[in-house]
Amino acid sequence: MKILIKYLRPLGTYFFILGLAIIFFHIDHGVELKNATKKLLTVYAYSSFTQSWGAGPELVLIFEEACNCKVDLIDAGDSGVLLQKLRYEVGNVDVVLGMDQMTKDEALSGFAWHEFSEKFFSDIQWSPMLPVSLEKKTLIPFDWAPLTFVIRKGDVKPPISLDDLLDQRFEKKISLQDPRTSNLGFQFYYWLISEKGEAGAINYLEKLKGNIFSMAPSWSAAYGLFQTKQVPLTFSYLTSLMYHWQQEKDLDQIEAANFVQGHPYQVEYVGIPATSADRDLAEKFIRFLLSEKAQEIIVTRNFMLPVVKLTSSSENLRRLPKLKIKELNYSSLTAEKKKTWLELWKGLW
Amino acid sequence: MRALSRVLIAVLLLFPYLIFIIRTQSFSFPEITEVANVLSFTLTQAFLSALASVILGVWGALGLVWVFSRFGEIFVNRVTFFLLLPNLVPALFIILSCFQIFKPFPFGMTGIVILHSLINVGTVSVSIFLTLRSRFGRTIELAYVEGASLWFFFRRAGVRLLSTDLYSLFLYVFSLCFASFSVPLMAGKIGSNTLEVLIYEKIRVDGNLAQAIGLSLVQLLMLMGLTLMGKLKIFSTGVRESNYKWSNLKLLSRGSGLLMPVGCVLVSLSGLFTGLLSGIEQIRSTPALVQGLPTLIMGTFLISIGTSIFCIFGLLIVAYGLPHSTFRWFLFSFVAPSSALVGFAMFLLKRNNNNIEFIYIILGLSILILPVLYRFRWANLIDSLEPQIETARTLGASWNLIFTKLVFPQVIGEAGLLAGLAGIWASGDFAISKLVSGKNFTLAMHIDSLMSSYRINPGVTLAWVLIIVGVSVGMFFWGIGRVLGEKSYS
């Protein structure tokens, strides 16, 4: 009997934990059941937006109070994976958030989207800094940020241009993102192609090889190299500075490169699939996203710039350096072109 | 019944392919030139990584023998779990640790081999040590009594006797490195192109699932071809029979051997110390970073224990279906599709069943790990019982009797160990979990999210919690296996 108890006790403990885990899982995932009478809005977004420290949960809380509805915020991965998932979830998603210029054409050609009326935009005061216009009324920008090199002060003299990055002082000091696996990586590559042409971009990368410490598979891996002081500069968002100022209270250690020829940018879009079950509610959510209150939350939690004019901006927003924005022609960025350029890139190494 | 069990396992392992073929109704192969360039690099880095891991693992096993001789079984079990830790930690942390220690880091093939070896040497050492302990006691004792030196023993007998096991371990590490994603990209030369990266590109950039499946089939065919080498005599002369005479392993005892696997683990985990205090500080100032921590811990237990249970049953079903030459060859050579494809397959299967999505995650993880566990130790263990099974069949025993009275008592201990290993590995997964689930409910998913939003140090802090959860599940299943084994004998 004693042996039986001795044997069963650890087994019982772990099955108890397993049972508890299943209960926790259902508590966490089964909230919809409790609120079955409320309208449900399903929002697909990327990982950092949906987390407890991100902008998503706070925005959802405010919106739910206002609309007396339930918002299911789902982490659908980065924009590349998000669109692949959307292919199979059509009909179950009301709002899709997180496409950028790199994936916008694919989104527009691969899926049908709800078209917003002129009335929807009538009272929106777009930020004069926003570098895109609303030529199509289907995918709406909800935040954006210039792209640049983020540098640890004192480690190396900041570069002043793309060509300055070829200088010997940057030998093995730059972390970039792989364009095959990262949108930001492709943004950098496309910037080079826009500046220098296809052949020029390849020639440039050939010269830059010796200065690249690593081409990481993702922004987080590349930025991790920067944060762990493996490299003094990395390609990232200008607004990364705001994270360090706000969260790490680090006002003096990090700076951004300011290139004479200007910088590319990333704009993030939100849209309503045409198959959404409740387009009215989805429109209200997007309208809320474009409100000043929501945009302020996006600035402080998502660390991106607002797309609308803010009556008062935070100190960190004002402190950000003003970078010259370079207009890039994203309409020429087709899936075929992308594939061709990636083959060229692969051939380089 | 045995035929049914074989079919069940085969269908389970082929499940992701079946799902894609049913849902997408297509698969295609990419251009031969595109694949050829990628294959040569993928094969080379996997081959060299596996070779290095096995050679260093042999030396590491001698170190474990020394620990066993000096400090006994309980201590060596603890050291064993310590050596398995690199399997728990996200690869990025190990990569960052190495970049900090090896300055300048030798990017390229050397860097890839170093990183893969750091991750796998501990596991290989443990496996060889367990093999030595369970099957070579008599031989080693005889060599010791006859006055043979270590080098003489290995030169004349050891390598030959261990050939089957070394080959299995080589294939185990080879298949892991063959499907490696982050390590070749970050530690290799810029633009390193592996099959796994190409599959990811097909899914993410081209949206071409059909070609991604085709590439996975190429992976499968490659490994099947490699396992045909197992038919060579050189790899099939190992000792098969179990022999629990482990009291005299002194001939093999080499304390210096422990330096290698322990050093690898310490290097792998060193990065977890550098960001720890800063991470704790950030968590204290922003509690939202660990919101729902009990749920995350429970979720990790759920996935980890669930995968272990699934694997233990899977392994026993495999044991029930063997011996069978075709089935053995299929299991030995099978490699699951890339984790991106398996995750997508489970996502397609899940549809709207969000309340039970953890079941699909467990299923996906088990499909990935079962063939690995089979190659790792299960194949040789089942093979070692063949003479006994043959004798029992000759004497008229039924298959059910053979399984319950002969096979089960001798394999359940190992099944527990392998299930524990599966649990450790599963607790560190975020790739499949994130593809299937739209919400973070495990520590690994949460750590990945933290790292995606600047918070690498809090991620490092939570990695310690993950290690504790993973190791506790691993140790539990190992213990369960041993207890069940002992009970089965009595």
Side-chain angles (χ1 to χ4, degrees):
Chain A
M1 186 65 186
K2 267 190 194 171
I3 294 167
L4 193 67
I5 291 169
K6 188 182 164 186
Y7 161 64
L8 279 177
R9 198 185 300 145
L11 186 71
T13 308
Y14 272 84
F15 273 107
F16 174 71
I17 292 172
L18 182 63
L20 215 60
I22 293 172
I23 291 166
F24 263 80
F25 181 87
H26 275 86
I27 288 170
D28 204 46
H29 279 62
V31 172
E32 300 92 76
L33 292 173
K34 267 200 316 190
N35 297 306
T37 53
K38 288 188 180 176
K39 279 187 184 178
L40 178 66
L41 187 78
T42 305
V43 178
Y44 257 22
Y46 50 88
S47 189
S48 57
F49 189 87
T50 61
Q51 300 314 312
S52 53
W53 57 84
E58 194 174 337
L59 291 170
V60 159
L61 212 63
I62 299 170
F63 183 72
E64 282 178 340
E65 270 180 40
C67 73
N68 192 31
C69 63
K70 181 82 195 93
V71 178
D72 194 11
L73 194 57
I74 293 174
D75 176 358
D78 69 26
S79 56
V81 173
L82 187 152
L83 288 176
Q84 301 314 321
K85 279 191 174 182
L86 190 61
R87 246 174 255 286
Y88 301 98
E89 287 279 290
V90 159
N92 297 329
V93 182
D94 299 303
V95 176
V96 179
L97 194 150
M99 294 142 301
D100 61 10
Q101 311 98 295
M102 297 288 136
T103 49
K104 190 179 162 201
D105 275 344
E106 188 190 341
L108 287 171
S109 58
F111 304 90
W113 299 91
H114 166 76
E115 193 155 321
F116 296 89
S117 63
E118 288 293 338
K119 194 179 154 198
F120 181 87
F121 302 103
S122 57
D123 58 345
I124 294 176
Q125 291 208 310
W126 298 103
S127 164
M129 308 286 293
L130 182 64
V132 296
S133 60
L134 292 172
E135 70 276 9
K136 289 188 177 22
K137 311 244 182 292
T138 46
L139 296 183
I140 317 288
F142 74 94
D143 68 20
W144 74 288
L147 304 174
T148 181
F149 283 86
V150 175
I151 306 153
R152 188 166 301 101
K153 278 187 193 173
D155 283 9
V156 70
K157 189 178 156 211
I160 55 168
S161 66
L162 279 173
D163 288 333
D164 194 23
L165 277 175
L166 299 176
D167 190 73
Q168 217 181 342
R169 72 183 189 277
F170 296 112
E171 192 180 339
K172 291 285 179 224
K173 286 192 161 55
I174 305 172
S175 80
L176 293 171
Q177 296 82 14
D178 193 311
R180 295 169 298 175
T181 54
S182 163
N183 268 1
L184 206 63
F186 197 86
Q187 287 267 23
F188 179 74
Y189 182 39
Y190 187 60
W191 183 20
L192 295 179
I193 292 172
S194 303
E195 281 287 318
K196 299 174 183 294
E198 272 180 26
I202 296 301
N203 191 36
Y204 177 88
L205 283 170
E206 181 72 54
K207 293 179 193 165
L208 189 67
K209 251 190 214 177
N211 290 358
I212 302 172
F213 178 82
S214 176
M215 267 210 177
S218 63
W219 169 86
S220 57
Y223 210 81
L225 289 170
F226 174 73
Q227 284 181 297
T228 53
K229 299 183 180 168
Q230 308 292 322
V231 293
L233 70 164
T234 184
F235 189 62
S236 183
Y237 308 91
L238 172 68
T239 44
S240 298
L241 300 181
M242 293 205 300
Y243 167 78
H244 292 282
W245 295 336
Q246 185 181 308
Q247 298 296 319
E248 295 179 354
K249 314 288 183 226
D250 182 354
L251 299 176
D252 299 316
Q253 300 300 314
I254 314 288
E255 60 182 334
N258 195 341
F259 285 6
V260 294
Q261 71 258 63
H263 294 260
Y265 52 89
Q266 173 157 341
V267 178
E268 293 185 329
Y269 293 90
V270 61
I272 303 173
T275 49
S276 162
D278 195 336
R279 292 198 216 179
D280 287 338
L281 189 59
E283 261 203 22
K284 283 182 183 151
F285 181 76
I286 293 177
R287 193 63 188 85
F288 165 67
L289 266 190
L290 298 175
S291 67
E292 210 176 303
K293 188 172 187 176
Q295 289 283 300
E296 279 170 1
I297 293 170
I298 285 171
V299 167
T300 53
R301 299 279 214 129
N302 212 29
F303 304 109
M304 295 289 275
L305 296 180
V307 294
V308 301
K309 260 192 221 171
L310 298 181
T311 46
S312 64
S313 52
S314 66
E315 198 184 325
N316 285 338
L317 204 55
R318 289 195 298 274
R319 190 185 284 133
L320 277 177
K322 304 284 179 278
L323 301 184
K324 182 178 167 191
I325 299 299
K326 179 153 186 76
E327 287 291 338
L328 299 182
N329 180 11
Y330 289 101
S331 58
S332 66
L333 186 58
T334 60
E336 280 310 310
K337 274 278 184 195
K338 225 173 151 176
K339 202 171 167 182
T340 309
W341 287 333
L342 281 175
E343 289 305 316
L344 269 176
W345 184 90
K346 281 189 235 182
L348 175 62
W349 315 104
Chain B
M1 274 298 284
R2 291 179 71 238
L4 186 64
S5 69
R6 290 192 285 269
V7 167
L8 189 69
I9 294 294
V11 167
L12 175 72
L13 295 179
L14 291 169
F15 212 38
Y17 293 110
L18 295 173
I19 291 168
F20 276 120
I21 288 167
I22 290 167
R23 281 302 294 265
T24 64
Q25 291 173 356
S26 68
F27 77 86
S28 64
F29 291 103
E31 301 279 329
I32 192 79
T33 45
E34 191 181 12
V35 178
N37 293 337
V38 168
L39 261 182
S40 69
F41 178 74
T42 311
L43 284 170
T44 309
Q45 59 89 16
F47 178 84
L48 292 174
S49 301
L51 192 64
S53 300
V54 168
I55 291 171
L56 296 173
V58 170
W59 186 27
L62 304 187
L64 282 173
V65 170
W66 176 82
V67 171
F68 177 65
S69 311
R70 289 287 294 266
F71 302 104
E73 193 167 343
I74 294 173
F75 190 75
V76 83
N77 288 345
R78 291 194 182 126
V79 172
T80 297
F81 273 102
F82 176 73
L83 297 184
L84 296 176
L85 286 181
N87 293 294
L88 255 180
V89 177
L92 181 63
F93 289 145
I94 299 176
I95 294 166
L96 292 177
S97 302
C98 286
F99 285 173
Q100 280 181 324
I101 288 171
F102 296 101
K103 283 185 173 172
F105 187 81
F107 287 98
M109 196 61 75
T110 312
I112 295 174
V113 171
I114 287 174
L115 269 165
H116 279 150
S117 302
L118 283 173
I119 295 168
N120 293 302
V121 158
T123 314
V124 172
S125 301
V126 165
S127 177
I128 296 173
F129 165 68
L130 292 173
T131 303
L132 289 170
R133 216 174 69 163
S134 64
R135 278 196 264 131
F136 292 93
R138 197 180 294 145
T139 315
I140 292 165
E141 191 176 66
L142 177 62
Y144 179 69
V145 161
E146 295 290 339
S149 69
L150 174 67
W151 171 240
F152 186 86
F153 170 76
F154 266 106
R155 195 164 49 91
R156 299 299 282 259
V159 173
R160 193 176 58 84
L161 294 172
L162 277 171
S163 61
T164 317
D165 301 275
L166 292 178
Y167 176 65
S168 300
L169 281 171
F170 174 86
L171 272 187
Y172 157 75
V173 179
F174 182 91
S175 62
L176 288 179
C177 299
F178 198 64
S180 183
F181 182 79
S182 302
V183 170
L185 278 180
M186 289 190 76
K189 284 193 313 188
I190 299 166
S192 297
N193 210 5
T194 61
L195 217 51
E196 196 70 14
V197 172
L198 192 58
I199 290 172
Y200 190 69
E201 208 181 309
K202 292 291 172 198
I203 296 173
R204 205 181 156 280
V205 177
D206 301 350
N208 194 337
L209 273 180
Q211 280 198 1
I213 300 163
L215 281 168
S216 269
L217 287 169
V218 169
Q219 264 184 333
L220 178 60
L221 291 169
M222 292 298 319
L223 207 63
M224 279 186 169
L226 212 66
T227 54
L228 287 174
M229 281 174 62
K231 302 268 184 218
L232 293 174
K233 204 170 172 193
I234 188 171
F235 294 123
S236 54
T237 54
V239 168
R240 301 292 187 94
E241 285 187 50
S242 296
N243 171 358
Y244 287 93
K245 203 172 175 59
W246 62 54
S247 56
N248 283 312
L249 295 179
K250 284 182 189 154
L251 176 66
L252 303 183
S253 170
R254 286 292 178 278
S256 60
L258 200 60
L259 289 174
M260 180 53 62
V262 169
C264 287
V265 174
L266 289 175
V267 166
S268 303
L269 302 186
S270 60
L272 293 185
F273 291 98
T274 50
L276 183 59
L277 293 176
S278 166
I280 292 170
E281 191 48 51
Q282 282 190 51
I283 287 169
R284 274 175 50 191
S285 60
T286 318
L289 294 179
V290 289
Q291 191 175 309
L293 188 60
T295 307
L296 297 173
I297 293 172
M298 284 298 159
T300 309
F301 270 121
L302 177 62
I303 296 302
S304 188
I305 295 174
T307 306
S308 296
I309 291 172
F310 201 100
C311 286
I312 210 169
F313 279 109
L315 291 169
L316 290 174
I317 293 171
V318 164
Y320 184 70
L322 288 169
H324 190 277
S325 59
T326 311
F327 187 48
R328 184 189 182 280
W329 175 79
F330 168 75
L331 288 172
F332 207 67
S333 59
F334 185 83
V335 64
S338 81
S339 43
L341 276 176
V342 173
F344 239 97
M346 294 301 114
F347 170 75
L348 293 177
L349 191 64
K350 180 191 87 158
R351 298 179 82 98
N352 296 323
N353 298 319
N354 293 328
N355 285 343
I356 53 168
E357 60 192 11
F358 67 91
I359 291 177
Y360 299 97
I361 295 172
I362 289 168
L363 180 65
L365 291 171
S366 304
I367 289 170
L368 276 178
I369 194 77
L370 264 174
V372 174
L373 296 177
Y374 180 78
R375 265 191 295 279
F376 183 48
R377 291 186 62 76
W378 202 242
N380 288 340
L381 176 66
I382 303 299
D383 288 351
S384 72
L385 300 178
E386 265 185 53
Q388 298 176 45
I389 293 171
E390 269 175 42
T391 307
R393 283 294 287 169
T394 308
L395 291 173
S398 69
W399 286 111
N400 283 347
L401 190 69
I402 288 171
F403 181 75
T404 50
K405 296 293 182 191
L406 186 68
V407 174
F408 182 87
Q410 295 186 75
V411 304
I412 188 62
E414 194 77 12
L417 166 68
L418 293 174
L421 200 61
I424 287 175
W425 174 81
S427 62
D429 169 78
F430 58 86
I432 290 188
S433 306
K434 282 208 148 192
L435 275 168
V436 177
S437 175
K439 294 187 195 303
N440 284 359
F441 68 96
T442 68
L443 286 165
M445 293 166 83
H446 197 72
I447 290 168
D448 181 64
S449 294
L450 284 167
M451 282 160 41
S452 306
S453 40
Y454 300 100
R455 281 123 176 137
I456 192 166
N457 289 334
V460 162
T461 308
L462 285 184
W464 285 105
V465 182
L466 176 62
I467 285 172
I468 292 167
V469 171
V471 168
S472 71
V473 172
M475 289 179 79
F476 168 70
F477 276 91
W478 194 357
I480 276 290
R482 284 175 56 207
V483 166
L484 283 174
E486 282 162 21
K487 294 288 167 207
S488 305
Y489 275 117
S490 61

